[in-house]
Structures are given as structure tokens and as C-alpha cells.
Amino acid sequence: MWLRRFSQIGILLLFIGANKWGWNILIGNLSSAYVFETFYLSDPFAILQILLAGFILGADVLIGGLIILLIYGIIGGRVFCSWVCPMNIVTDTALWLRKKWKLNEIQFHTPINRNIRYWVLFLALILSVFSGVAAFEFVSPVSMLHRGLIFGMGFGWAAVAVIFLFDLLVLKNGWCGHVCPIGAFYSVVSKYHWIKVQHTVENCTDCMECFVVCPEPQVLKIIGKKSGSINNGECTNCGRCIEVCDDKALKFIKREKIIRRNENE
Ligand code: SF4
Ligand code: SF4
């Protein structure tokens, strides 16, 4: 967890440093960052919305989006959510307080379907086509928070507060696990990434600690049943399950090892 916080806060500091002290490591924001004043890294979901809205983007920004798509889609999976996104600190804080104040019992009687986020994603893309603006970028609380922390927060605090209270009082992992279309986008494009969590059933004692800490417990279907990798793109590769597993039944593994293991079986 400390590594993740180091990554999230470190990346944020690099953006703030560019604005306040003239650092040239990461200039811009999460939608598009100019790296070492040499090349761009861009948010592929934002690019998709902008293109659907009918705008034309420069080749450097498009290449920047492709780089990010390849890094997350092929290598790291949905690591944006657990290692980069500043909203994750807000929602993790709400989750921590939920547990501390024993608010976990407060839930809707009917469990909210986690697939809502895919509908929000779909809606964001369709609205971009018909409205002529990048629909979710227009209202994205993630962008509001990130831009606000770098350039100064206006009414963005209200959006962040709503998400914090929603996660704290209404639904556990409500925003990131049920609503956010950015997480949904990276879940869709990250299905075949290389770095995955591997489960070894021989070491598993069925304590289910991993289920308790996992922000996306539906991805842990194989726990206690069979050895294999967590292949669901909704896994954020946060490593929380590995951290709590005292039986060494979970670890990160690279794709080549997964393939070799499958060939040996
Ligand atoms: S689901 Fe959305 S808000 Fe949550 S960490 Fe991912 S991008 Fe950020
Ligand atoms: S399976 Fe593990 S790495 Fe994946 S989201 Fe759950 S806790 Fe994080």
C-alpha cells in the first residue's frame, strides 16, 4: 500500500512541480502530459471521446495515447486505478473509515450491479458523438480533483465530497467498483495484460482474507478452487490480496511464467 501511495503522490507532485516550480518532468495533467518536454503521454479514454466528438488531434497526442494503451493494456493491466489515480486515495480513505466506524453494514438491500460502470462508459461515448464534446471529460470528478490539486480547486471539491460520502455512507467501493467509466475502460482494454496475480491452491488455507481486502472481489473466483492467474481485467493489480496472504498462495507473475506453467500442467 505504501508503494502505491508513493506512486500516486509522487506522480501528482511531478505535475504540481511543473506548475509551481517549473519542473519539466510531467507538464500538464492526467489527460495529456508533456514528458521531459520531449513526448506526450495521453489518456486513451479522453482521446476516444474527443475523436468521437468530431475533433482532430495531433499525431503526438495520439501516439501518447497509444503508448498508455499499450502500457496498461499489454503490461500492467488496470494499474492506473491503483497506482496513479488520485481519486483512489479519496475512495480508499472512505473505505478505511467505513471499516473503522463499522459502517459496512450500511448497504442497499439489493446489491448494486458492478456492470453499471460499463453502461456509464457506453453512455459517455454515445453522448460524445451526439453532443460534440468529450462528455465524461466535461464532468469527470477524477479530472476535477487532479486539475484542482495542480492548478487550484474550485467547485471540484463538491464532486470529490459527493464521491467520498457515497463510498463512505452508501456503497462500499461505490464509485471505483461500480460507477467510474475510466476504471471500466481500463478493465475492458486490460484483459490480456502480462503482469497478473497468480494463485497457488496448494498453499491456500481458504481463510478468505483476500476477499475481504480486494476492491473487486468478483475477480477472485478461483481462490481455494484451483491454481491459476486472475484473468479478469477488473483486477487493479493493487497487490492488497498478496499483502494480506500469509500463506504465500498469491503473488505477482509475468505472462511468460503463466504460459510455461500452463504448458507444464
Ligand atoms: S475507478 Fe476511476 S476514480 Fe477509481 S481509481 Fe479508477 S479511474 Fe480513478
Ligand atoms: S485480486 Fe488482488 S490485485 Fe486484483 S484487485 Fe483484488 S486485491 Fe487487488
Side-chain angles (χ1 to χ4, degrees):
M1 187 187 78
W2 292 113
L3 274 177
R4 289 198 302 114
R5 293 290 174 257
F6 181 76
S7 164
Q8 289 161 334
I9 294 169
I11 291 169
L12 191 57
L13 265 181
L14 292 179
F15 280 113
I16 293 173
N19 183 44
K20 288 208 185 319
W21 306 297
W23 298 353
N24 70 348
I25 305 172
L26 278 178
I27 304 167
N29 54 56
L30 284 178
S31 298
S32 190
Y34 196 29
V35 187
F36 291 115
E37 296 186 84
T38 309
F39 64 95
Y40 283 91
L41 290 178
S42 320
D43 171 359
F45 178 47
I47 287 183
L48 185 58
Q49 291 171 76
I50 292 168
L51 292 177
L52 288 174
F55 293 96
I56 296 168
L57 287 166
D60 45 2
V61 175
L62 291 175
I63 291 169
L66 193 62
I67 294 171
I68 290 291
L69 198 60
L70 293 176
I71 291 174
Y72 293 152
I74 295 184
I75 302 172
R78 196 184 151 194
V79 284
F80 174 80
C81 292
S82 49
W83 295 80
V84 179
C85 182
M87 190 62 85
N88 178 255
I89 300 175
V90 175
T91 54
D92 273 1
T93 306
L95 182 66
W96 178 72
L97 287 173
R98 245 185 113 86
K99 280 184 197 148
K100 195 172 164 55
W101 293 341
K102 298 191 185 349
L103 299 174
N104 270 328
E105 292 76 28
I106 303 177
Q107 289 278 9
F108 286 120
H109 290 299
T110 312
I112 304 287
N113 195 316
R114 285 180 179 264
N115 291 337
I116 286 174
R117 54 188 151 181
Y118 297 107
W119 287 104
V120 179
L121 169 64
F122 180 67
L123 195 66
L125 298 179
I126 291 289
L127 281 177
S128 298
V129 174
F130 290 107
S131 66
V133 292
F136 184 69
E137 290 311 294
F138 217 54
V139 295
S140 168
V142 178
S143 299
M144 284 183 206
L145 174 62
H146 192 251
R147 288 199 186 109
L149 290 170
I150 300 171
F151 305 111
M153 193 75 81
F155 287 111
W157 280 121
V160 177
V162 167
I163 288 176
F164 176 77
L165 292 174
F166 178 59
D167 273 34
L168 179 69
L169 301 174
V170 181
L171 187 63
K172 185 181 172 191
N173 296 315
W175 172 257
C176 296
H178 298 75
V179 183
C180 179
I182 307 174
F185 176 81
Y186 285 122
S187 297
V188 172
V189 299
S190 302
K191 193 153 170 54
Y192 301 103
H193 59 279
W194 288 349
I195 299 171
K196 292 185 173 179
V197 175
Q198 172 78 20
H199 174 242
T200 306
V201 74
E202 293 78 19
N203 295 354
C204 178
T205 55
D206 270 334
C207 69
M208 294 296 144
E209 286 294 325
C210 50
F211 268 95
V212 175
V213 295
C214 180
E216 302 279 357
Q218 74 283 0
V219 307
L220 290 170
K221 283 193 185 123
I222 62 169
I223 298 297
K225 298 192 183 87
K226 58 175 184 174
S227 295
S229 54
I230 308 294
N231 292 324
N232 193 319
E234 287 165 2
C235 169
T236 64
N237 267 350
C238 63
R240 277 180 257 205
C241 52
I242 298 172
E243 206 176 346
V244 297
C245 181
D246 294 329
D247 306 307
K248 302 206 179 330
L250 294 166
K251 63 179 176 185
F252 280 126
I253 194 165
K254 290 208 296 283
R255 190 164 182 242
E256 309 89 74
K257 288 191 183 165
I258 297 168
I259 292 168
R260 225 177 296 140
R261 192 177 286 249
N262 289 343
E263 282 170 356
N264 292 339
E265 279 172 5

